[in-house]
């Protein structure tokens, strides 16, 4: 077992960024260990050429309705089949929702070692060792993987994506065993924009007393929409009836821990902080440089939120497109 | 129906965790309060409310050192009927895939209709358990479920994934991992904590499960503290400039976008 | 003189009346005895003197609240006592021809005058109450309208029939008049209407009977009515709580036999709790002063008592008939969650209750069963309880970060300096709330400059247990208390200084019940004594109108009204102004009783209090409690009036620069 396999994800006719990142890591491993790297493409197989051009020697594809939407059973069967085809010793994937689910089941199917949400790979170590955050990111664990194969999911936005080369990959269509599927996807529910609940959103844009009134939440909502974020609020804003209670974040509201929390016009007293202090990153926009939130934020902007937030939105639109 | 809930003890979310200098793959445990993995509470709550409506027993299974009994007691106080604890070092100090395999063996004789676990262990930050157990039991699984309804032979679950969600229908038995949108876990009251002390906690060894020791497939070599988080940056000035700084910070340093 | 038949009828009526009066009283005694045991027999002397003086001097109702009603009660009380005597003489008059009470001497003359004065006064008093209750209709009186009507009616008929009897008698025998001015007036009218002696004799006989029948009916009615407070009120005062007002009774949480923790059913209350129900005369003073009721929340302390009484009468009597019938949980029908979870434990209800009922302690006991048995409480509290349990503070912020705010300060640790005089117990608010942290900075600066020797616990400090216990989480509360006691004992703590009235009350009034006694000082007391000993002097600042807000846990709970005022008076230039509701009538900030951690329903209490304070047009508002400080400052911002600074007393004494790092 020597090969490297990347399991690809696509979205709306494009190869997902995390797949390009996994390809980047795969190419690095491939180069250093002089082993071939293959990719498995389960959806939108018309992208096989583009995927192959990232440096893969082989792109495996599958066809059929059962691959239309992510299904752990059919996908696991296909991935295991591909892994055997290329004698994969290392299997990489982006640590997306699907990636984390599929790698888990695959690891058990292949009786291998699993490392999820990896932020660093020691490419030259033997056996492969990786670094992943543990204890809510309070520590980093260097993990060695004596088991085989090694199934690794990579934290998004960390690895350098592979850039397209002129290389042409061999496209091989697989016909994996079709075990019975017991868990069927009935429907995909897309979260409607702007109505995300604060407890489930990865990004929250929150407004407080500084927002000044119900109409002040307009700029907050605009920014939230651009970021596909939920709209939060401090108790003061909710008590003033500017926004309904379900948006309230804090000791007496919802307790949230998003990846990014943008606090606009919120002083950030303990009653609010207790509800969002475990956010991974905090950006604060406040006129008052002495507001408690400014001390606690990773990035604090001293200024009028009505001037700063719209610009922030425009800048984000630029970079996101 | 019998429902199995997988339990784990973890350090409190607010605990200060530091690598143990004498044993760098572990953490210093003095001054650290241990709790039942918060996501497991959602699993326990869901198991209890399903059992309350359908009748049946809820069995907790925990891999952990003897001290993890307090987490098991929390689950028993919430209402879990009985529990099994696997304290073998070979089970406690191994990787999640091996643990899943051990748990699968422990679950098998109970022949449950449903196995529930938390969506993630907050200490190791791993969320693979449901899928791994399901694979070893050759059962379907649904991970990160925010809504669940169980009928006699099937379940319907809403799996939260990457900003959207999937409605999934599955046959039973099945394994489900529970997210915090699922329910509001009940409070282990004083009277229930007292009563929990009389409930059965059965100790199970690897040999009881006919399992031999297996070397871990992955192991932590060393724990280290991440580079100290930079003190927050405070910028002031023209809105255009400060907003651009913020966006640059988001993409270059925080790496969120 | 009564005929034989009349005597038989009289004896029969008397017997019926005795039966009619005693049967419900015995029933009520049996109902009260359904409660759990409780020792209320300590300090016996006070338990005798207090009710006697309360009764005869009406110390119960002649208080600042409703002073007119209180004074008018003198007429009702002494009128009633007079007419009790009159009832005896009245009967004697029926049995003995020409019996004249106290004769024709001076005593008789004074008696005749006295009776008439009180007859008239009772009628006037009734008129006052009728006008007040049925025309002005204060909100506190909306409950027992019919019962009141019966009482007013009986008071009127008893008095009126007496006057008609007396007048008729004087008409017949003018010599009986003595100084009976009212009887004489009635006699004059009688003589106009009735002209023959037999008619007048019949008139006297009829009114003798009408009076006695009315008296008997009234007597038999009393035990069914709130008028029973004439009897139960003094008894309730005799058995009043003589411990500090706001001190949660420790539950035996270690008990393995206990079936119930806290109060789940009626029978989980103590007999004294149940007695409260029969002592209550539904006056509604507690409701008038309740911050929750005043902001239109579901809670009325009066209803806590009245609904307990109604449930007791219904379920208790049923229980006597069918002993197998268990008592129903109080939270299923008698009380609602919104009621018991909106009490700030400010203690105003207990403070103003004329018969010393204990309203809010019942709420705490109900919370205990909800938390310790049922696990039913507002969801946000789970976080508070878990936070207290795992991180020893109600926000659940990491215990290790407790001193993060003071990294730039050099504060002596008690553990390193065991010889210091005071343990400065900062408390959770002072450690985690950024506003209270500023007070801590000021306090530490002040203590250092005043040369006070103190040390802190640092990260080892745990919540004092106050919040958990008021929210009914006795197990978590007691664990915190035990942790602290162990630490204090290990360190040899003798004197505790704190700037938090909640901590103060807990250390002073609750820790002793867990076997730990310390000398406890609130920072206002320390500042007061430093001023008194001339150990500190503050330079004159700008002249300032400062409105004083009393913290419930400093004031009502511990009677410390002067120390914060004296501390402020020590600052030249400060002129104190007091809101209408001040000192023992201080209106709560809304943060007590754990309400600080709960989402408030409806109008906000802090906004209500803020209005009262702002009416004084102050330059600043002073408090001596970190929770009041935060609640009032929030209210000032909500009202857009944050130009009026809210400050802790110590912040008037020292000015503190902003902590390093916030102003770059």
């Amino acid at each position: 077992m020597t090969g490297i396999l990347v399991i690809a994800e696509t979205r709306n006719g494009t190869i997902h960024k995390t797949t390009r990142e996994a390809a980047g890591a795969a190419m690095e491993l491939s180069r250093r260990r002089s082993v071939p790297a293959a990719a498995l493409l389960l959806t939108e197989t018309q992208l096989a050429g583009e995927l192959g051009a990232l440096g893969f020697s082989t792109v495996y594809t599958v066809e059929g309705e059962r691959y239309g939407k992510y299904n752990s059973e059919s996908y696991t069967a296909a991935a295991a089949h591909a892994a055997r085809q290329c004698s994969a010793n290392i299997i990489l994937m982006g640590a997306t929702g699907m990636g984390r689910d599929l790698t888990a089941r695959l690891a058990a199917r292949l009786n291998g070692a699993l490392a999820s949400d990896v932020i660093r790979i020691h490419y030259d170590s033997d056996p492969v060792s990786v670094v992943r955050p543990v204890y809510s990111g309070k520590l980093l664990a260097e993990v060695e993987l004596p088991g085989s194969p090694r199934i690794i999911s990579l934290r998004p936005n960390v690895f350098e994506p592979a850039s397209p080369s002129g290389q042409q990959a061999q496209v091989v269509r697989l016909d994996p065993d079709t075990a019975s599927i017991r868990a069927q996807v009935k429907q995909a529910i897309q979260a409607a924009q702007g109505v995300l609940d604060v407890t489930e959103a990865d990004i929250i844009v929150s407004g407080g007393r500084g927002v000044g009134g119900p109409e002040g939440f307009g700029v907050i909502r605009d920014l939230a929409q651009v970021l596909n974020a939920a709209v939060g609020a401090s108790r003061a804003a909710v008590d003033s009836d500017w926004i309904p209670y379900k948006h309230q974040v804090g000791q007496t509201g919802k307790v949230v821990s998003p990846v990014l929390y943008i606090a606009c016009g919120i002083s950030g007293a303990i009653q609010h902080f207790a509800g969002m202090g475990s956010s991974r990153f905090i950006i604060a926009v406040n006129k008052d440089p002495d507001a408690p939130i400014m001390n606690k934020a990773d990035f604090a902007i001293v200024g009028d939120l009505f001037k700063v937030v719209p610009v922030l939105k425009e800048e984000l639109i630029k970079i996101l497109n | 129906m019998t429902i199995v809930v997988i339990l784990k003890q973890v350090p409190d979310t607010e605990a200060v965790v530091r690598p143990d200098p004498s044993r760098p793959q572990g953490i210093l445990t003095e001054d650290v309060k241990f709790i039942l993995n918060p996501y497991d509470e959602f699993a326990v709550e869901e198991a209890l409310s399903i059992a309350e409506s359908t009748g049946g027993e809820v069995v907790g299974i925990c891999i952990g050192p003897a001290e993890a009994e307090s987490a098991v007691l929390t689950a028993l106080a919430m209402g879990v009927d009985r529990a099994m604890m696997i304290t073998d070092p070979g089970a406690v100090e191994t990787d999640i895939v091996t643990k899943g395999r051990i748990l699968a063996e422990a679950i098998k004789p109970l022949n449950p209709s449903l196995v529930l676990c938390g969506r993630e262990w907050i200490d190791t930050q791993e969320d693979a358990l449901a899928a791994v157990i399901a694979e070893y039991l050759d059962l379907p699984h649904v991970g990160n479920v925010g809504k669940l309804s169980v009928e006699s032979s099937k379940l319907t679950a809403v799996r939260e994934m990457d900003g959207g969600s999937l409605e999934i229908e599955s046959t039973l038995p099945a394994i489900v991992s529970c997210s915090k949108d699922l329910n509001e876990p009940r409070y282990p009251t004083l009277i229930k904590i007292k009563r929990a002390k009389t409930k059965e906690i059965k100790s199970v060894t690897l040999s009881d499960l006919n399992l031999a020791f297996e070397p871990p497939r992955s192991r932590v070599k060393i724990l280290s503290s991440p580079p100290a988080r930079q003190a927050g940056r405070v910028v002031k000035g023209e809105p255009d400039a400060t907003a651009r700084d913020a966006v640059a910070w988001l993409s270059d340093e925080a790496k969120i976008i | 003189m009564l005929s034989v038949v009349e005597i038989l009828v009289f004896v029969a009526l008397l017997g019926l009346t005795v039966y009619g009066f005693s049967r419900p009283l015995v029933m009520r005694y049996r109902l009260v005895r359904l409660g759990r045991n409780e020792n209320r027999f300590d300090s016996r002397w006070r338990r005798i003197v207090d009710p006697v003086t309360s009764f005869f001097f009406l110390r119960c109702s002649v208080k600042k609240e409703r002073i007119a009603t209180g004074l008018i009660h003198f007429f009702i009380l002494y009128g009633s006592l007079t007419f009790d005597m009159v009832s005896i003489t009245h009967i004697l008059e029926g049995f003995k021809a020409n019996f004249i009470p106290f004769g024709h001497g001076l005593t008789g003359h004074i008696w005749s005058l006295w009776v008439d004065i009180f007859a008239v006064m009772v009628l006037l008093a009734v008129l006052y109450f009728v006008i007040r209750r049925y025309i002005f209709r204060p909100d506190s009186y909306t409950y027992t309208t019919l019962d009141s009507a019966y009482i007013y009616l009986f008071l009127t008929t008893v008095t009126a029939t007496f006057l008609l009897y007396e007048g008729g008698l004087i008409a017949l025998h003018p010599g009986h008049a003595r100084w009976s001015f009212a009887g004489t007036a009635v006699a004059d009218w009688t003589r106009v209407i009735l002209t023959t002696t037999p008619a007048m004799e019949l008139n006297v006989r009829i009114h003798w009977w009408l009076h006695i029948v009315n008296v008997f009916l009234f007597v038999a009615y009393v035990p069914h009515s709130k008028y029973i407070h004439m009897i139960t009120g003094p008894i309730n005062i005799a058995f009043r709580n003589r411990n500090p007002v706001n001190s949660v009774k420790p539950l035996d949480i270690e008990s393995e036999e206990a079936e119930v923790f806290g109060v789940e059913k009626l029978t989980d209350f103590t007999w004294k709790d149940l007695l409260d129900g029969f002592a209550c005369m539904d006056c509604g003073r507690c409701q008038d002063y309740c911050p929750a009721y005043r902001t239109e929340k579901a809670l009325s302390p009066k209803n806590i008592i009245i609904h307990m009484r109604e449930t007791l009468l219904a379920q208790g009597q049923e229980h006597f008939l069918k002993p197998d019938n268990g008592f129903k949980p109080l939270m299923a029908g008698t009380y609602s969650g919104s009621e018991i979870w909106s009490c700030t434990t400010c203690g105003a209800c207990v403070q103003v209750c004329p018969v010393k009922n204990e309203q809010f302690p019942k709420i705490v006991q109900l919370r205990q069963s909800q938390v310790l048995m049922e696990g039913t409480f507002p969801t946000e509290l789970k976080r508070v309880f878990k936070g207290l349990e795992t991180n020893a503070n109600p926000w659940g912020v990491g215990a290790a970060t407790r001193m993060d705010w003071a990294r730039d300060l050099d504060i002596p640790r008690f553990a390193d300096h065991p010889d210091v005089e005071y343990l400065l117990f900062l408390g959770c608010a002072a450690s985690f709330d950024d506003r209270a942290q500023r007070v801590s900075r000021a306090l530490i600066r002040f203590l250092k400059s005043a040369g006070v020797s103190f040390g802190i616990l640092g990260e080892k400090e745990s919540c004092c247990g106050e919040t958990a216990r008021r929210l009914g989480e006795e197990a978590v509360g007691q664990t915190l208390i035990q942790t602290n006691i162990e630490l204090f004992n290990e360190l040899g703590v003798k004197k505790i200084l704190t700037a938090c009235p909640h901590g103060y009350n807990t250390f002073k009034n609750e820790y002793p019940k867990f076997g730990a006694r310390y000398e406890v000082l609130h920072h206002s007391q320390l500042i007061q004594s430093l001023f008194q000993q001339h150990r500190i002097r503050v330079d004159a600042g700008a002249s300032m109108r400062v409105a004083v807000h009393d913290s419930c846990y400093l004031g009502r709970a511990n009677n410390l009204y002067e120390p914060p005022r004296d501390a402020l008076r020590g600052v030249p230039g400060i002129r104190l102004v007091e809101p209408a509701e001040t000192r023992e009538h201080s209106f709560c900030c809304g943060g007590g009783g754990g309400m600080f951690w709960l989402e408030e329903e409806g109008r906000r209490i802090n906004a209500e209090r803020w209005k009262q304070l702002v009416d004084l047009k102050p330059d600043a508002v002073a408090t001596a409690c970190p929770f009041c400080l935060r609640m009032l400052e929030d209210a000032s911002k909500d009202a857009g009036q944050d130009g009026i600074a809210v400050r802790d007393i110590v912040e008037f004494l020292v000015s503190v620069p902003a902590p390093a790092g916030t102003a770059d």
Side-chain angles (χ1 to χ4, degrees), chain C residues 435-487:
Chain C
R435 180 64 188 90
Q437 285 165 1
R438 273 163 40 212
V439 178
S440 304
R441 284 176 182 274
L443 178 64
I444 284 158
R445 211 171 121 105
F446 169 80
L447 293 175
K448 283 184 173 175
S449 67
V452 176
S453 113
F454 70 98
I456 60 166
L457 295 170
E459 286 81 3
K460 292 250 186 247
E461 189 181 276
S462 295
C463 168
C464 62
E466 196 262 352
T467 297
R469 298 192 77 211
R470 272 153 193 78
L471 287 168
E473 201 5 313
E474 186 74 0
V476 170
Q478 289 194 17
T479 309
L480 290 166
I481 290 177
Q482 295 303 347
T483 309
N484 275 323
I485 291 176
E486 272 167 38
L487 181 64

Side-chain angles (χ1 to χ4, degrees), chain A residues 97 100-101 105 109 111 132 135 137-138 140 142 144 146-147 182 184 186-187 189 280 298 300 302, chain B residues 13 15 123-125 127 135-136 138-139 141 162-163 165 167 169 217 219 221-222 224 226 229 233 235:
Chain A
R100 298 189 67 148
D101 197 63
R105 188 131 194 167
R109 175 74 54 97
N111 238 339
R132 55 186 304 276
Y135 299 102
K138 285 182 261 189
L140 296 177
E142 188 179 330
E144 55 180 5
R182 295 152 298 187
Q184 287 280 6
K186 287 282 149 199
Q187 58 167 328
I189 308 158
R280 198 180 318 153
D298 301 281
V302 183
Chain B
T13 41
D123 53 352
T124 62
Q125 286 187 237
D127 58 2
E135 184 59 31
Y136 282 114
D138 191 22
L139 290 174
H141 86 273
D162 299 335
S165 49
E167 189 184 289
E169 198 175 275
R217 301 140 195 259
R219 59 176 166 251
K221 243 165 54 184
I222 188 162
S224 59
R229 195 165 169 168
R233 192 182 309 165
V235 297

